[in-house]
């Protein structure tokens, strides 16, 4: 299983997953959030079902320097990224079934389809500019 709780010491693991074109599913949460704490077990179970992908738990307060100015309105918020392409960014119900269907739908798309969607609207273009974990981890990759 490829699952990590992001901290200052293991950012390279996340950067390498993105650099290797692995699907990354990031849960952006906060330790004080009850919904996030409840979602954690379901998120880990989801990660166990998809060991070929990289699942990462990011506490937005502990990792504020990485998260930066991301607009996180509700918890949990998910970010799905492959390489430098953000396929989804937004709040999700604290149930992984819908998120899993969303990931499966993204995985079926070709690179060309993902790229077309990435620039298809102002919102999606802003995801590429503001949300890319690969870009945010550029200093780790070197």
């Amino acid at each position: 299983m490829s699952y990590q709780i992001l901290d200052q010491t293991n950012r390279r693991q996340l950067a390498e997953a993105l650099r290797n074109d692995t699907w990354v599913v990031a849960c952006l949460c906060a330790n004080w959030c009850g919904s996030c704490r409840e979602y954690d077990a379901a998120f880990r179970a989801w990660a166990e079902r998809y060991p070929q992908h990289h699942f990462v738990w990011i506490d937005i307060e502990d990792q504020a320097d990485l998260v930066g100015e991301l607009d996180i309105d509700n918890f949990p918020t998910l970010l799905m990224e492959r390489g430098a392409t953000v396929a989804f960014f937004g709040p999700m119900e604290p149930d992984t079934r819908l998120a899993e269907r969303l990931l499966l739908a993204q995985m079926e798309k070709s690179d060309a389809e993902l790229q077309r969607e990435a620039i298809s609207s102002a919102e999606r273009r802003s995801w590429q500019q503001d949300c890319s974990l690969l870009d945010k981890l550029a200093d780790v990759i070197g």
Side-chain angles (χ1 to χ4, degrees):
M1 172 177 74
S2 184
Y3 175 85
Q4 78 178 112
I5 297 172
L6 193 68
D7 62 33
Q8 298 296 334
T9 67
N10 64 6
R11 289 181 175 188
R12 181 168 293 283
Q13 182 183 359
L14 175 57
E16 288 175 7
L18 287 162
R19 192 169 54 182
N20 290 331
D21 211 31
T22 300
W23 274 102
V24 169
V25 180
C27 183
L28 303 161
C29 280
N31 189 42
W32 53 262
C33 173
S35 293
C36 294
R37 287 192 305 271
E38 291 175 16
Y39 188 65
D40 181 46
F43 189 73
R44 285 177 189 261
W46 183 22
E48 287 178 12
R49 290 191 303 276
Y50 292 90
Q52 72 274 29
H53 305 311
H54 189 81
F55 289 76
V56 59
W57 189 269
I58 302 175
D59 186 300
I60 64 166
E61 292 176 345
D62 291 346
Q63 301 301 312
D65 65 311
L66 178 70
V67 175
E69 299 297 319
L70 286 181
D71 189 19
I72 299 171
D73 295 328
N74 289 305
F75 295 116
T77 291
L78 294 183
L79 188 152
M80 296 179 187
E81 181 172 358
R82 193 181 87 207
T85 304
V86 177
F88 177 80
F89 174 74
M92 187 63 59
E93 290 293 320
D95 178 343
T96 59
R97 290 177 293 187
L98 178 59
E100 189 168 345
R101 286 195 306 267
L102 178 62
L103 177 61
L104 291 172
Q106 297 303 318
M107 290 169 39
E108 290 178 3
K109 296 175 185 172
S110 68
D111 287 341
E113 289 173 303
L114 287 171
Q115 291 302 312
R116 270 194 307 277
E117 285 185 3
I119 59 171
S120 66
S121 69
E123 178 183 41
R124 287 179 179 263
R125 286 189 298 274
S126 74
W127 293 351
Q128 309 316 307
Q129 184 176 18
D130 303 332
C131 302
S132 173
L133 293 172
L134 185 61
D135 289 347
K136 292 176 179 295
L137 291 166
D139 61 324
V140 172
I141 297 169

